[in-house]
Amino acid sequence: GLEQFAPYTVLQRWHAPTDHDQAPTLTLTCIHDAEQLDADALLAALRWVGELGYGADANTGMGRFDVTPCPLPWPEPPAQANAWLTLGPLAPAGLALDSAHSYYTLDVRFGRHGDQDALSGLPFKRPVMLAHPGAVLAPAAAQQPTDWSQLWLGQGVGGVSNARPDTVPQGYAPVLAIACPRDTP
């Protein structure tokens, strides 16, 4: 016919290459405990995921990537550090935060089980609220002094699944200590 025939369409987003002759470059920040997992094993796991593909459309060949290690030292906390900047989504509920000096937008994640649990009668998890990456979180005054050299913040979230009560979505994110201007004491 003359009409567009599209029985199945998928929105795809592509990261623009930094140069027309090369593939797009994305940066992944990883924090790991070298006593639990050494850097070579982490790199091997990331390369394996890159070969198989990552994301909902990995089974169609999407989400494949190459890994080029570029280890960088973690930035030192500023002398007047008073808050953290999150580099990923995290669960802020229940953390000892100063609500007057913490700034974030919440996102509701609707999870579901995969593998054989996806075929069970209860594949869906309860919604979990996470703060968007880029949140600025200040500790409550009672938490001072604070260890500004910590690398992550957050918590696991339990009680999200009737099918698997031991399910714990991860609400941890890497953080950078920052000095956030404040107009109130």
Side-chain angles (χ1 to χ4, degrees):
L2 299 176
E3 306 270 331
Q4 178 182 0
F5 178 70
Y8 179 73
T9 59
V10 175
L11 174 66
Q12 294 181 347
R13 294 185 180 151
W14 300 88
H15 295 277
T18 53
D19 185 349
H20 294 291
D21 296 330
Q22 64 183 11
T25 302
L26 301 175
T27 301
L28 173 68
T29 301
C30 295
I31 296 173
H32 73 285
D33 182 346
E35 292 180 15
Q36 300 292 321
L37 178 72
D38 67 31
D40 291 335
L42 175 61
L43 187 58
L46 289 171
R47 285 190 169 132
W48 181 74
V49 172
E51 289 174 14
L52 295 176
Y54 177 79
D57 292 325
N59 62 341
T60 65
M62 303 300 290
R64 293 187 181 182
F65 57 88
D66 294 323
V67 177
T68 304
C70 182
L72 298 171
W74 201 254
E76 290 293 322
Q80 284 75 31
N82 60 1
W84 293 283
L85 175 68
T86 66
L87 302 181
L90 88 152
L95 298 179
L97 299 174
D98 177 357
S99 61
H101 297 103
S102 294
Y103 310 94
Y104 54 89
T105 302
L106 291 173
D107 184 28
V108 180
R109 302 281 176 103
F110 296 92
R112 61 186 166 122
H113 291 290
D115 197 28
Q116 293 190 14
D117 291 329
L119 304 174
S120 74
L122 301 168
F124 298 102
K125 300 175 188 174
R126 289 185 189 88
V128 175
M129 289 186 21
L130 299 175
H132 278 264
V136 173
L137 304 175
Q143 295 298 111
Q144 301 293 343
T146 300
D147 178 10
W148 294 109
S149 64
Q150 71 185 70
L151 303 176
W152 57 270
L153 192 64
Q155 60 195 326
V157 181
V160 299
S161 174
N162 287 332
R164 287 201 172 250
D166 59 341
T167 299
V168 180
Q170 301 304 300
Y172 301 95
V175 293
L176 291 173
I178 61 171
C180 187
R182 295 188 177 169
D183 55 359
T184 59

